[in-house]
Amino acid sequence: MKSMSKYLAATAAIAVLATASAASAKELKYAHFQSADLSSPKHAAALAFESCVEGKTAGSIDVQIYPAGQLAGDNEVMEGLQLGSIQMAVVHDGPISATYKPFSALALPYLFDDQAMAWAVMDGDFGKEMAEDMVAKTGIRMFGVADNGVRNFTNNVRPVAEPKDMAGLKMRVMTAPVWVTLVESLGASATPVPWPELPGALQQGVVDGQENGVTNIVDASLYQNQKYVTLDAHVFSWHAYLMSDSFYQGLTDVEKTAVDQCVEIAKVIHRGMTAAQDANASAILSEKGMTVVPVSPEQKAMFRQAAQPAVREFVVSEVGAEWPDKLDAAVAAYRDSFN
């Protein structure tokens, strides 16, 4: 009986300690905008981060994932990161640029040759300098970037292989002026439409087409109302791993190290999944019934010549030449390293 009493007392003590530990854990609300599915790169990466951080910190950080925009809209998430009411988020380029304008330099089209170049630039001195500037000016810490794949044009009217084929098309763009500039520089008309309204706009013929990566085209079933996809890879759909700096500074050294290491793991998973989708874009979208239009290097040069000057002029008018110039220099340095 005494043995049983001691066992029950020990069990109760352990339960009390576990409850106290859980109560004292630092809550990390983690927001992202893709579906809660392991086929979604953001969510797969988020789950890996959760498991990694909670394991490395023995539960002193309690990660709570809010997928599919459950926690707040994109602009509200950026505000929450600044205020510290949201601790972490993976956010796409549009809302980031609204809060931290230099990020819009990354909207320069037809800049990167492939994922290896893009990640090398963003993991290198350029990306590190931008992250330091961002946290100083906004209070949001950027650990680095992954992406939602390269963005390609789709439409329901005709194949688009050269800029002249864009003439007259009504194209949905994200609700930021830089995307209007990009599409109009290619001869199409641009209509800003919020993401949740896009499938309906395509179905109802409000717009003829749109531009997104393979992940979003498949995840939102956009292929159901789009016949043609042009694999022009005009810009990377950047998704940045962000954290409230006030939350980060409140962590212990052990917890900071855990977060740093686990973000790296999440980025590798996220990047790998989207890169695989991009590499297999033709097969994936063909299986969905779309007509895939490849773009040759010569045709891509035509797109670049038509779009890049206008977008660069707009970006410089918004943020100055400093960051576009630094980005050009980083790209040139990468190319030179192979010569």
Side-chain angles (χ1 to χ4, degrees):
M1 184 64 73
K2 288 183 178 179
S3 177
M4 178 59 72
S5 297
K6 288 181 179 179
Y7 170 77
L8 292 173
T11 302
I14 291 171
V16 169
L17 288 172
T19 301
S21 176
S24 63
K26 296 169 182 172
E27 182 182 66
L28 191 161
K29 294 177 183 175
Y30 183 134
H32 73 76
F33 299 94
Q34 285 183 347
S35 59
D37 191 295
L38 277 172
S39 65
S40 299
K42 277 187 179 181
H43 196 63
L47 291 173
F49 177 86
E50 177 185 28
S51 177
C52 179
V53 165
E54 292 184 350
K56 284 181 177 289
T57 64
S60 69
I61 296 178
D62 176 22
V63 180
Q64 300 175 10
I65 301 171
Y66 294 85
Q70 290 176 3
L71 195 58
D74 45 20
N75 292 326
E76 290 77 16
V77 164
M78 292 299 293
E79 292 174 5
L81 289 169
Q82 289 185 290
L83 295 171
S85 56
I86 297 173
Q87 289 72 46
M88 185 170 176
V90 182
V91 184
H92 55 283
D93 31 20
I96 298 172
S97 297
T99 299
Y100 175 68
K101 283 192 173 183
F103 202 85
S104 62
L106 294 168
L108 291 174
Y110 307 103
L111 189 65
F112 298 109
D113 297 336
D114 50 35
Q115 283 90 348
M117 174 188 283
W119 295 334
V121 168
M122 294 306 295
D123 291 343
D125 292 340
F126 172 84
K128 292 173 183 175
E129 185 177 354
M130 177 169 277
E132 291 171 0
D133 189 60
M134 184 173 178
V135 72
K137 290 180 178 175
T138 68
I140 298 173
R141 176 172 293 270
M142 181 169 68
F143 291 101
V145 297
D147 63 86
N148 207 34
V150 291
R151 300 181 76 91
N152 300 303
F153 289 112
T154 72
N155 81 92
N156 207 34
V157 177
R158 58 177 173 267
V160 171
E162 298 178 5
K164 64 181 178 62
D165 299 326
M166 294 279 286
L169 293 178
K170 296 179 293 183
M171 301 296 291
R172 174 268 178 182
V173 296
M174 290 187 286
T175 54
V178 67
W179 303 108
V180 173
T181 303
L182 168 60
V183 165
E184 292 184 346
S185 72
L186 295 172
S189 61
T191 302
V193 177
W195 170 251
E197 300 173 20
L198 176 55
L202 293 173
Q203 183 179 19
Q204 296 163 21
V206 175
V207 291
D208 300 317
Q210 58 89 52
E211 47 87 44
N212 256 298
V214 178
T215 301
N216 279 359
I217 293 171
V218 173
D219 197 49
S221 300
L222 302 183
Y223 55 83
Q224 292 180 351
N225 296 289
Q226 295 285 272
K227 184 175 181 180
Y228 305 101
V229 56
T230 300
L231 300 182
D232 69 308
H234 47 272
V235 73
F236 276 72
S237 186
W238 295 109
H239 287 194
Y241 281 73
L242 308 175
M243 180 171 281
S244 167
D245 193 53
S246 61
F247 175 79
Y248 185 80
Q249 296 303 339
L251 300 177
T252 67
D253 289 343
V254 170
E255 291 168 340
K256 287 178 181 177
T257 298
V259 167
D260 294 344
Q261 293 173 343
C262 296
V263 166
E264 290 303 309
I265 292 171
K267 284 192 319 188
V268 168
I269 292 169
H270 189 156
R271 289 177 176 183
M273 290 179 70
T274 54
Q277 289 175 332
D278 283 337
N280 294 295
S282 183
I284 292 170
L285 298 176
S286 293
E287 288 179 0
K288 297 297 184 182
M290 299 189 77
T291 299
V292 177
V293 182
V295 174
S296 69
E298 293 75 20
Q299 290 169 324
K300 192 164 185 175
M302 295 170 65
F303 278 103
R304 181 184 298 111
Q305 184 177 4
Q308 200 173 92
V311 175
R312 184 185 177 84
E313 181 181 358
F314 175 82
V315 170
V316 169
S317 73
E318 290 287 298
V319 304
E322 177 187 4
W323 287 101
D325 286 350
K326 287 180 178 179
L327 183 54
D328 286 340
V331 168
Y334 177 86
R335 289 200 175 103
D336 289 345
S337 68
F338 288 91
N339 295 331

